[in-house]
Amino acid sequence: MARALGQAGGVRGRRRKGEGPDLRESILDAAEALFSRHGFYGVTVRQVAAEAGVDTALIHYYFGAKRELFESVFARRAGILNTARLDALRTYAETHAGRLSAEGIIEAFIDPLIQRALTNDEGWRNYFRLVALVNNTPAWGGETMHRFFDPVVQKLIDTLALALPRAERRDLYWAYQFLTGAMMLTLSETGRIDQLSDGLCRSTDMGAIRERLYAWCAAGLEELVRRGR
């Protein structure tokens, strides 16, 4: 299996510790690609080593056991996204003081991800698929999402509360639950909607997604508030 994975990624010569450009990042890239396709339990350190073209000892040297490698993969882009989202939420709140809207806040929260998806960078595509997998893993997915993303989600909730002072706090959390499901399915680019619509819609069409996703999420939230549940 490790040999097959190595061949699928091209012929790679094994490199020793300290050789090659940014070897640590290359290992993270390889692990990210494999975890995004097969999940945590479907990947071995040996397979990651084959994909990266290194010895397994080098992976243990840099990261320790598989769990620590996975955590490093997850943390690498989480920090980038959290910073971008917090900056976007802060900028929106400052430039729209006194006229905040649910749609504008949701756009500030999601658009940093859409912007990265628009680059067609395979690393970001793999990461979004990985987050979607983790977000739907009952055993430990919730705890992982909690550790890496909760502070920025709480900032989203707090900002929405300013825009919708009549909203019950629990409705804002429910709205986020539904929003994150739609967001991560969209960013996974599974091709499901392509087949369902006979090509009328494309899962890679981030422009079309931008035109619809923020408004759709905001309308659902505003309806919850209107009903006063």
Side-chain angles (χ1 to χ4, degrees):
M1 181 63 176
R3 181 176 299 174
L5 288 168
Q7 289 170 346
V11 178
R12 300 179 176 86
R14 288 191 177 274
R15 293 168 289 190
R16 289 187 294 275
K17 184 168 58 184
E19 294 182 347
D22 209 346
L23 193 53
R24 189 177 187 278
E25 291 297 304
S26 296
I27 294 170
L28 289 173
D29 288 342
E32 183 177 65
L34 290 172
F35 284 135
S36 73
R37 292 197 295 269
H38 308 293
F40 176 77
Y41 295 110
V43 176
T44 67
V45 172
R46 187 177 299 276
Q47 289 168 347
V48 175
E51 183 74 7
V54 301
D55 293 319
T56 56
L58 189 63
I59 294 178
H60 291 301
Y61 172 81
Y62 279 123
F63 302 103
K66 186 175 77 167
R67 171 62 69 178
E68 284 69 41
L69 172 62
F70 182 87
E71 296 276 325
S72 296
V73 167
F74 209 81
R76 178 174 58 157
R77 298 187 197 269
I80 296 171
L81 290 178
N82 286 340
T83 297
R85 284 165 143 181
L86 288 171
D87 286 346
L89 286 168
R90 181 172 57 252
T91 298
Y92 177 79
E94 291 173 353
T95 57
H96 293 76
R99 49 191 177 92
L100 300 177
S101 72
E103 184 172 346
I105 294 166
I106 289 169
E107 178 177 352
F109 180 76
I110 299 179
D111 210 56
L113 285 73
I114 300 294
Q115 290 173 18
R116 284 156 179 81
L118 282 166
T119 66
N120 292 318
D121 180 273
E122 192 61 26
W124 279 108
R125 284 180 170 177
N126 288 333
Y127 186 73
F128 292 143
R129 291 167 187 150
L130 177 60
V131 173
L133 281 174
V134 172
N135 210 15
N136 287 280
T137 300
W140 47 267
E143 188 274 333
T144 301
M145 297 297 290
H146 164 74
R147 284 191 293 113
F148 285 99
F149 292 116
D150 269 16
V152 73
V153 173
Q154 294 294 351
K155 181 63 175 178
L156 168 69
I157 299 296
D158 291 342
T159 310
L160 285 170
L162 293 175
L164 301 167
R166 291 181 52 244
E168 293 189 17
R169 193 80 174 180
R170 63 178 178 179
D171 281 339
L172 297 180
Y173 284 113
W174 278 119
Y176 173 73
Q177 172 84 346
F178 306 144
L179 177 154
T180 192
M183 177 179 66
M184 294 319 306
L185 176 60
T186 296
L187 288 166
S188 296
E189 297 182 23
T190 64
R192 164 69 172 142
I193 195 171
D194 307 53
Q195 296 174 323
L196 182 66
S197 68
D198 289 328
L200 183 63
C201 306
R202 293 179 291 112
S203 62
T204 57
D205 189 349
M206 291 296 157
I209 289 165
R210 256 181 168 163
E211 292 173 3
R212 294 164 174 82
L213 180 59
Y214 312 147
W216 186 87
C217 292
L221 171 56
E222 289 166 351
E223 179 62 13
L224 279 180
V225 176
R226 187 191 69 79
R227 293 188 182 191
R229 292 188 180 277

